[in-house]
Amino acid sequence: MGEINSKAFAVVTASSQVEKWKIDCMNELIKNKAELKLIIIPQKTQDAGKNAADIRETYKEVPVQDIGCKDKIQSMNLDFILDFDGTHLHSFENTCKYGVWTFLIGDAQLNQHIGFWEITNHQSVTPVRLVMASEPDNITILKQGYFPTQKNSLSKNRDQIFSSIYTWPSIISKAVPMDGMSEKAADYSANYKAPDLFDWLKLNRRLFKNNVARLFNQLFCYEYWNVGLINLPIEKLLDEDEFSIRWLGKHRNVYYADPFGIEINGSIHVLMEELDYREVKGYISEMNIEDVSEPKINVNSSILKLPSHMSYPYLLNDNGRLLCIPETSEEKKTMIYSFDSNTNRWNMESVIMNDFSAVDSTVIRYENKWWLFCTRGDEKTQSHNSELHIYYSDDLYGKWKPHRLNPVKIDIRSARPAGTPFVSEGILYRPAQDCSQTYGGRIVLNKITKLSESHFDEETISSVDPRKNDLYKDGVHTLSAVNAEWTLIDGKRFDYSFFHFLKKLYRYYPAGSQKSSI
């Protein structure tokens, strides 16, 4: 199945009063040249709740009918039916070319109690799927995502999910990728249980505990990061669990993260993020390791600094030229800096993308094309950690085009880039962050199985976890290759103290944030 050329569709709603995200969903389809030909509303309608709009008034020219009249629906030559109700998946068999589409959200019905069971049962991820039913017992996943459960609010869970999934039918209708994805049978067993009074009491107790924990962390916790070396090539970490990390920052209370390095004349030169706690703003610093066996390490702070936040100084060697693509998502620009060996300075050379808040841009040359992987930082809750976008170009400095399935992946467990991709035994692997438990909780290594202008698929093969008995035992989120012997990594630790509350009041920042030699 390829692209849908004629995009005639109908919608099923439980009421003429529909929520705003559903109107946005239909408008997105119409904007992409799909035609809404019919609105189907059951005789017994449900209350749509707050912020609802009358679908009859919004689409006055579109006919409305009851859920019966299957023959009439079939005569309209529809491409698909979008069932917002989620309970009529098998009611319109053989009435349209591409079946009935609906959303399945976690352990809830579409319009009720989204996130309820995930919060109550302390589940970190809420799965969402857009599925198609074309025949009985034949349900195919068209698009899916794994969203972080917002553990402090039911409404935030709803808002987070609906602000993302309203675009999915439009993305799929433009190019149903059935020829480029495995047809995974969806589990459509109806396990939903409406919460009773006891369940609501459990939920409120969990929400109270979660909000107290969040407030405690905000007041009394500092998060520190450091960078380190692993004496292994990056590809060995696909199946090697037992390794030690040599931490490079001398002080316990530094914030060095996102290390990328290159070997020059026997020395390892590292670019990394350093954080100014007074402004809570990152900039790029440099660390030079002259002798790995007896490390004498010099740190030069602020070699790259903007009025906005900078981090993730991704290094790239292009025909012998050393380039850096730092994260500058607040600027809504993706910029390339080049290194001038005569002056030992980094100079801004080109803006390759504008008006897009690319987070952790990771650029590779693969199969005669440039590919850029990133997440998006200016849109929805946690999109910077969960929405993977891909851009491609024939020329590093040329026009970059968005992948037609963007966001190609929504998964808090394995979307956000986490370092340098690498090829092992002819297979391309991509390090990614798992932020399902905490930001930068661990790194997963994804095997890319399909990468083209129209298709993308990857699967998680293994993970790189923080060392349990290490000082920085609370997270890792960057893994980058140096050479055939060494790999860079970073690590996180949480530090709790009453004095941190006073430091935050006075905008204190940790030691080690000035130019230093360690």
Side-chain angles (χ1 to χ4, degrees):
M1 188 183 297
E3 294 189 2
I4 298 178
N5 295 316
S6 60
K7 305 167 194 173
F9 73 102
V11 296
V12 182
T13 72
S15 167
S16 61
Q17 299 292 315
V18 298
E19 297 165 288
K20 180 181 180 300
W21 77 271
K22 297 176 182 178
I23 297 292
D24 291 340
C25 183
M26 289 181 278
N27 287 342
E28 193 74 14
L29 280 160
I30 293 168
K31 184 175 74 174
N32 285 286
K33 305 190 185 312
E35 180 185 2
L36 177 58
K37 297 188 72 172
L38 182 65
I39 297 169
I40 305 169
I41 304 176
Q43 289 182 344
K44 293 183 178 180
T45 61
Q46 300 176 10
D47 182 13
K50 296 180 180 179
N51 302 317
D54 192 323
I55 194 171
R56 300 172 190 261
E57 291 296 318
T58 306
Y59 305 104
K60 293 181 179 179
E61 305 301 320
V62 180
V64 179
Q65 72 170 52
D66 183 31
I67 205 164
C69 305
K70 186 174 178 180
D71 291 339
K72 182 178 178 182
I73 296 172
Q74 192 168 13
S75 69
M76 301 187 76
N77 296 318
L78 298 171
D79 287 295
F80 63 93
I81 295 174
L82 181 57
D83 178 14
F84 284 122
D85 190 8
T87 58
H88 303 286
L89 204 55
H90 296 300
S91 299
F92 305 100
E93 292 162 6
N94 303 316
T95 59
C96 48
K97 188 174 180 182
Y98 296 104
V100 182
W101 300 2
T102 195
F103 291 98
L104 306 179
I105 302 181
D107 292 323
Q109 291 178 341
L110 185 59
N111 294 308
Q112 299 180 21
H113 313 127
I114 291 171
F116 185 100
W117 297 110
E118 286 77 12
I119 295 173
T120 302
N121 298 326
H122 207 55
Q123 297 170 1
S124 59
V125 173
T126 301
V128 182
R129 293 167 290 183
L130 175 64
V131 302
M132 174 184 70
S134 54
E135 298 174 0
D137 302 321
N138 184 8
I139 298 176
T140 301
I141 297 175
L142 299 175
K143 195 170 182 66
Q144 62 184 335
Y146 295 86
F147 293 83
T149 300
Q150 300 299 307
K151 299 178 181 179
N152 305 294
S153 169
L154 276 176
S155 62
K156 286 182 179 179
N157 272 287
R158 290 174 57 86
D159 294 344
Q160 169 193 231
I161 290 171
F162 292 152
S163 68
S164 179
I165 67 174
Y166 81 92
T167 64
W168 289 11
S170 175
I171 292 171
I172 299 302
S173 73
K174 287 188 290 186
V176 178
M178 301 302 294
D179 56 341
M181 64 178 285
S182 56
E183 296 193 14
K184 307 165 189 174
D187 178 12
Y188 191 56
S189 56
N191 294 321
Y192 172 74
K193 171 185 175 290
D196 56 24
L197 177 60
F198 179 72
D199 295 322
W200 280 102
L201 291 173
K202 285 179 62 178
L203 172 73
N204 281 284
R205 183 179 66 178
R206 175 66 70 182
L207 286 172
F208 176 77
K209 291 174 65 176
N210 291 345
N211 280 291
V212 168
R214 183 182 64 168
L215 179 62
F216 181 83
N217 286 333
Q218 288 175 340
L219 294 177
F220 303 111
C221 179
Y222 258 120
E223 182 179 295
Y224 297 107
W225 288 82
N226 201 351
V227 299
L229 278 169
I230 301 172
N231 193 192
L232 288 171
I234 193 169
E235 62 269 15
K236 290 293 184 183
L237 297 174
L238 283 167
D239 48 26
E240 179 62 61
D241 292 328
E242 300 299 323
F243 59 85
S244 60
I245 302 172
R246 182 182 299 178
W247 297 110
L248 301 175
K250 178 181 177 181
H251 303 288
R252 286 169 52 93
N253 297 344
V254 297
Y255 193 115
Y256 298 149
D258 296 343
F260 291 89
I262 188 170
E263 183 181 6
I264 302 176
N265 298 325
S267 298
I268 296 177
H269 297 261
V270 180
L271 296 188
M272 61 189 181
E273 175 196 356
E274 187 173 354
L275 188 74
D276 186 338
Y277 273 79
R278 292 172 300 183
E279 302 178 19
V280 195
K281 185 184 71 175
Y283 46 87
I284 306 305
S285 296
E286 178 186 43
M287 178 182 286
N288 295 315
I289 308 169
E290 297 178 6
D291 186 350
V292 176
S293 59
E294 295 290 336
K296 181 182 178 183
I297 302 167
N298 297 308
V299 175
N300 298 313
S301 288
S302 305
I303 64 167
L304 288 177
K305 193 169 187 177
L306 293 174
S308 56
H309 177 78
M310 297 182 79
S311 61
Y312 200 81
Y314 184 82
L315 289 178
L316 183 67
N317 191 325
D318 180 35
N319 295 320
R321 299 178 65 243
L322 185 58
L323 306 177
C324 176
I325 306 176
E327 191 234 279
T328 53
S329 61
E330 290 182 8
E331 297 284 323
K332 293 193 174 183
K333 296 178 181 178
T334 302
M335 296 180 276
I336 295 181
Y337 288 76
S338 61
F339 182 70
D340 186 339
S341 57
N342 295 319
T343 61
N344 287 328
R345 288 182 174 274
W346 289 92
N347 302 309
M348 206 285 283
E349 186 173 86
S350 179
V351 177
I352 59 173
M353 285 205 307
N354 262 311
D355 300 320
F356 183 80
S357 297
V359 175
D360 295 351
S361 295
T362 300
V363 178
I364 60 170
R365 179 78 173 170
Y366 183 71
E367 294 186 347
N368 300 317
K369 196 176 291 291
W370 289 99
W371 301 92
L372 186 152
F373 301 84
C374 65
T375 53
R376 184 166 188 161
D378 66 340
E379 286 260 310
K380 302 171 278 291
T381 303
Q382 290 281 359
S383 63
H384 60 292
N385 288 330
S386 59
E387 278 195 12
L388 179 63
H389 291 249
I390 295 178
Y391 289 78
Y392 59 89
S393 177
D394 293 325
D395 182 352
L396 180 61
Y397 298 94
K399 182 179 180 180
W400 287 82
K401 300 177 182 178
H403 199 284
R404 72 174 183 174
L405 296 179
N406 275 346
V408 298
K409 180 179 187 178
I410 301 175
D411 195 336
I412 190 68
R413 306 167 303 174
S414 62
R416 183 168 175 169
T420 51
F422 59 93
V423 175
S424 178
E425 297 182 356
I427 298 172
L428 179 61
Y429 294 89
R430 188 182 72 89
Q433 291 192 43
D434 180 352
C435 299
S436 59
Q437 300 294 333
T438 178
Y439 167 67
R442 66 172 187 164
I443 296 166
V444 296
L445 301 176
N446 296 328
K447 179 172 75 172
I448 296 179
T449 55
K450 291 176 184 172
L451 178 60
S452 70
E453 296 175 11
S454 56
H455 301 123
F456 174 76
D457 202 7
E458 66 180 3
E459 58 181 306
T460 297
I461 299 299
S462 60
S463 65
V464 178
D465 297 274
R467 310 290 90 184
K468 291 182 179 179
N469 298 319
D470 201 288
L471 175 61
Y472 299 92
K473 60 182 176 58
D474 297 310
V476 290
H477 75 354
T478 307
L479 193 72
S480 62
V482 177
N483 53 29
E485 187 178 0
W486 295 98
T487 299
L488 284 160
I489 195 170
D490 58 11
K492 174 175 74 170
R493 73 179 181 90
F494 293 125
D495 190 69
Y496 296 90
S497 170
F498 172 76
F499 294 103
H500 291 333
F501 174 66
L502 301 178
K503 293 174 186 177
K504 292 183 180 187
L505 285 178
Y506 289 95
R507 303 184 73 83
Y508 174 85
Y509 67 103
S513 292
Q514 300 294 324
K515 183 174 180 178
S516 59
S517 179
I518 55 179

